[in-house]
Amino acid sequence: MMKKIKINKSIAAFVLVFMAMGCTDLDETLYSEATTDSFYNNELEILQATTRPFTHMQAWLSWWGESGYYYHNELSADQLAWPQKGRHGYDNGDHIRQHYHTWTPQENRMESAWNLMWTGVGYVNIVIETVEKSNPEDVGLSQEQLESIAAESKVLRAYHYMKIMDMFGNIPIITELPEDPTEPQNPPTQPRAEVFKFIEKELLENVEKLQPLSPRLLGRVSKAVGYSILSELYLNAEVWSGEPRWQDAADYAQKVIDGEGGSLTGTMMLDPDILGPFNNTNQDSPENIFQFPYSRKEGFAYDWRGLLMGFSNMSPALDVNYSGNNALVVIPTAFDAYEDNDLRKQEWFLFGPQYRYQTNEPILGSEEYSGEPFVYVNNIRRNTEGQTGEGSMTDGEENSGARFNKYRSGTQDDDNYLENDFIIYRLTEMYFNKAEALMRLNGGTATQEAVDLINASRSRYFSEEDWPTEMYTTSSLTMDELLAERGREFIFEGKRRTDLIRFGKFTTGSWWDKDPDGDDHTIIYPIPFRQVQSNPNLEQNPGYN
């Protein structure tokens, strides 16, 4: 089984790197320049075309581009920040405005996210339209196989729309390529509730046509992926459509839990290894559902360096040959949310004194602590200048805050070095989705089933000795505690803003160096200024005019 998974990962990665070569032009006019003149001649060409929007998706969904969905969904929330650290990280105040929720329609990174996501929609529409015109005999596939591929692309398009809707709220709906690509496309804004109905319809019409998750479907949209998307859609239905759909969220989560959508390893189950879903052999994790199948060996290595890796002085600490921008830090209130006996706090972060890999030789600082032993601290302030107190987004130093260590590339001599896949959905999320839905159906009070679901996840992180005092009960698992535990579980995974909005905390909550917003208009981002200027049919979101 494992060998089969690795073989299919190589195939998937080969297709991804091949398509990535044609996925570097992110000009916003790409969609209007698309044509339907090309046809596919065989199964490989269809697979390559189907994979192209998925390849493009990593530019906005993961932390790769430093400006996409991940950037906005994490830096506006209560766990991660990109503070200015001395002469580094101010970047025109971009990250500071994210933290304080003071962004404007002129944000360049926000416009980049908009362009990237809509370009992805254009890629998917090209695939759908061309596949549906393909003759089964010409491409060597059955009609049923072609319909399954079209269904896969439509579900992927629905996922794109769900994320665009999450960020921007009221958006256009575009499902066809323009008859005349030289003419500007000016689609009108649709209310968020209408976009929700479109997404739901696309999913329900196509999810049962998808193939079950298996090693052959690594990195593609399987039935388990479709069920997971539906669970997320319904979990957020009250925010996105105005109508709660808790039972539907629970039902689709249960389908994934029961293995009705398939599994990578034969049995869908939580990974007992707390690093298993993220390590450099995570294609073997029994709980992973949807992932980018990166592979250094195939020329398409996963790259978290820019946002999540320190400067080059930290490379010897991990025995790696990469470094980053020393950008994202865990804010103090988020790190304090973990108990010291929680294995996640011990394994998913870099904190305290840093040493060269497997030695007692200290790593030395390179900025404020140049030539001194390097120690990550749980505060963001100018300690070298004697500053005390909370600090702020402009008071960071090179060692401010705990740091990312959830995904581990392995060392340079590891045969699987930098083979990590980026995980979009994993089974633990379905456990949390169902537990939350059950609690909301029960008036915000935990049922025993909800407690059992969360304890099944949480029990992996505490010793047998500690577990009796750490396990949840129906009285201790409150809605606030569920949100806190969800944050501890999914830190660094690009989900936090959405969760805070659903729990009513995004604009009303307080965390490190962040007071409540004055109103709720920041729950959705503005439509980028240049898009509104160029398309007279786009309506700006409330609060941004």
Side-chain angles (χ1 to χ4, degrees):
M1 178 63 73
M2 296 305 138
K3 182 178 181 181
K4 186 175 182 182
I5 291 175
K6 291 173 183 175
I7 290 173
N8 281 282
K9 177 171 181 177
S10 296
I11 294 172
F14 169 78
V15 175
L16 285 171
V17 70
F18 181 88
M19 296 312 303
M21 295 174 184
C23 198
T24 55
D25 181 5
L26 302 180
D27 188 281
E28 62 184 298
T29 63
L30 180 147
Y31 177 77
S32 63
E33 294 172 355
T35 67
T36 57
D37 294 337
S38 59
F39 292 90
Y40 306 131
N41 298 308
N42 52 56
E43 182 178 5
L44 178 60
E45 289 184 7
I46 286 182
L47 179 59
Q48 289 169 343
T50 303
T51 307
R52 182 169 189 174
F54 187 67
T55 308
H56 173 80
M57 196 164 73
Q58 54 81 27
W60 60 262
L61 185 60
S62 76
W63 43 65
W64 189 305
E66 301 181 19
S67 61
Y69 178 87
Y70 181 94
Y71 172 93
H72 291 85
N73 228 39
E74 287 287 15
L75 268 64
S76 63
D78 65 346
Q79 293 184 309
L80 306 181
W82 189 340
Q84 181 179 355
K85 307 177 192 73
R87 61 195 179 107
H88 298 285
Y90 178 70
D91 297 339
N92 197 38
D94 292 356
H95 327 306
I96 295 170
R97 291 190 297 278
Q98 284 297 312
H99 188 77
Y100 295 146
H101 297 184
T102 55
W103 49 74
T104 73
Q106 286 80 22
E107 302 291 336
N108 290 330
R109 292 174 193 262
M110 183 187 66
E111 183 173 27
S112 176
W114 172 278
N115 291 338
L116 287 166
M117 295 162 87
W118 280 111
T119 298
V121 172
Y123 282 141
V124 183
N125 283 341
I126 292 170
V127 173
I128 293 169
E129 193 158 325
T130 313
V131 166
E132 289 182 337
K133 290 181 178 179
S134 296
N135 186 312
E137 294 181 0
D138 292 342
V139 296
L141 293 171
S142 68
Q143 184 64 38
E144 183 180 10
Q145 288 174 312
L146 277 178
E147 289 175 358
S148 178
I149 291 170
E152 182 178 346
S153 296
K154 288 178 180 178
V155 170
L156 185 60
R157 180 172 65 187
Y159 181 80
H160 278 70
Y161 270 104
M162 185 173 72
K163 295 303 179 183
I164 299 172
M165 175 184 66
D166 180 21
M167 269 193 73
F168 297 103
N170 310 297
I171 58 174
I173 298 175
I174 307 165
T175 60
E176 297 179 353
L177 300 175
E179 293 184 6
D180 183 353
T182 64
E183 291 294 321
Q185 300 300 297
N186 294 318
T189 300
Q190 298 293 329
R192 201 182 206 182
E194 291 301 313
V195 181
F196 180 95
K197 290 179 183 178
F198 164 74
I199 295 167
E200 180 186 24
K201 183 174 182 290
E202 285 273 280
L203 291 171
L204 294 179
E205 288 179 352
N206 292 285
V207 70
E208 296 302 335
K209 299 176 184 178
L210 299 173
Q211 301 174 60
L213 177 61
S214 68
R216 190 173 64 84
L217 268 290
L218 181 75
R220 290 175 58 190
V221 178
S222 66
K223 190 171 290 187
V225 172
Y227 291 157
S228 299
I229 297 171
L230 278 163
S231 181
E232 181 181 359
L233 181 75
Y234 289 133
L235 193 70
N236 293 283
E238 187 170 28
V239 174
W240 293 342
S241 74
E243 185 177 330
R245 302 285 293 274
W246 307 121
Q247 189 60 59
D248 290 326
D251 290 345
Y252 278 100
Q254 189 62 49
K255 285 179 177 289
V256 180
I257 294 169
D258 289 342
E260 292 184 29
S263 168
L264 279 178
T265 59
T267 302
M268 185 64 73
M269 59 181 286
L270 297 180
D271 198 324
D273 180 355
I274 70 172
L275 295 174
F278 318 105
N279 65 23
N280 60 16
T281 57
N282 61 347
Q283 76 275 5
D284 297 343
S285 175
E287 79 164 75
N288 287 343
I289 299 168
F290 194 25
Q291 59 214 84
F292 293 127
Y294 290 104
S295 175
R296 172 189 55 84
K297 298 173 184 177
E298 304 299 332
F300 199 50
Y302 185 41
D303 188 349
W304 57 76
R305 292 174 293 186
L307 282 179
L308 293 163
M309 180 62 184
F311 293 140
S312 58
N313 64 315
M314 277 298 296
S315 300
L318 304 176
D319 189 15
V320 297
N321 63 356
Y322 55 83
S323 59
N325 295 332
N326 197 34
L328 298 196
V329 312
V330 181
I331 67 174
T333 47
F335 194 60
D336 287 339
Y338 293 87
E339 298 174 76
D340 288 341
N341 60 342
D342 189 331
L343 292 178
R344 291 171 295 193
K345 189 173 189 177
Q346 301 169 26
E347 297 290 344
W348 290 357
F349 305 93
L350 297 172
F351 184 71
Q354 300 300 301
Y355 302 94
R356 295 182 71 90
Y357 186 71
Q358 292 188 340
T359 75
N360 293 320
E361 182 181 346
I363 295 293
L364 302 181
S366 61
E367 295 287 329
E368 291 88 356
Y369 298 90
S370 179
E372 301 177 32
F374 193 62
V375 181
Y376 285 124
V377 296
N378 189 31
N379 56 68
I380 304 172
R381 62 188 181 215
R382 302 295 296 174
N383 292 309
T384 55
E385 299 172 7
Q387 184 180 10
T388 59
E390 183 180 73
S392 76
M393 281 291 290
T394 57
D395 293 327
E397 296 184 324
E398 62 174 316
N399 66 338
S400 293
R403 302 303 178 89
F404 170 89
N405 200 31
K406 197 171 188 178
Y407 282 74
R408 300 188 185 182
S409 66
T411 57
Q412 297 179 68
D413 60 356
D414 187 333
D415 186 55
N416 292 305
Y417 179 56
L418 282 171
E419 289 286 304
N420 312 64
D421 294 348
F422 176 83
I423 307 306
I424 302 168
Y425 286 122
R426 56 189 178 101
L427 183 62
T428 303
E429 186 171 354
M430 299 302 107
Y431 276 56
F432 273 79
N433 286 6
K434 184 175 184 186
E436 181 182 334
L438 292 175
M439 290 175 67
R440 292 188 185 276
L441 287 167
N442 196 41
T445 300
T447 65
Q448 189 57 52
E449 184 179 4
V451 169
D452 292 343
L453 286 164
I454 302 304
N455 278 340
S457 168
R458 183 174 169 84
S459 63
R460 296 176 289 182
Y461 309 122
F462 295 92
S463 67
E464 290 185 19
E465 180 181 3
D466 290 342
W467 181 239
T469 59
E470 298 295 343
M471 64 188 299
Y472 287 124
T473 65
T474 53
S475 59
S476 63
L477 186 59
T478 63
M479 291 301 294
D480 283 346
E481 181 57 29
L482 179 64
L483 177 62
E485 181 66 7
R486 191 173 180 111
R488 288 186 286 264
E489 179 63 29
F490 297 106
I491 192 168
F492 300 117
E493 296 188 45
K495 304 177 186 293
R496 190 59 174 171
R497 168 186 160 274
T498 309
D499 291 342
L500 290 178
I501 292 171
R502 191 174 63 255
F503 278 79
K505 304 291 187 182
F506 184 71
T507 59
T508 64
S510 299
W511 46 89
W512 173 83
D513 195 30
K514 172 65 175 67
D515 296 325
D517 295 11
D519 57 42
D520 289 337
H521 81 275
T522 53
I523 283 177
I524 54 177
Y525 283 94
I527 306 300
F529 176 77
R530 280 186 285 191
Q531 299 296 330
V532 175
Q533 291 295 104
S534 63
N535 179 357
N537 296 322
L538 281 180
E539 298 177 19
Q540 184 56 273
N541 286 324
Y544 294 109
N545 288 311

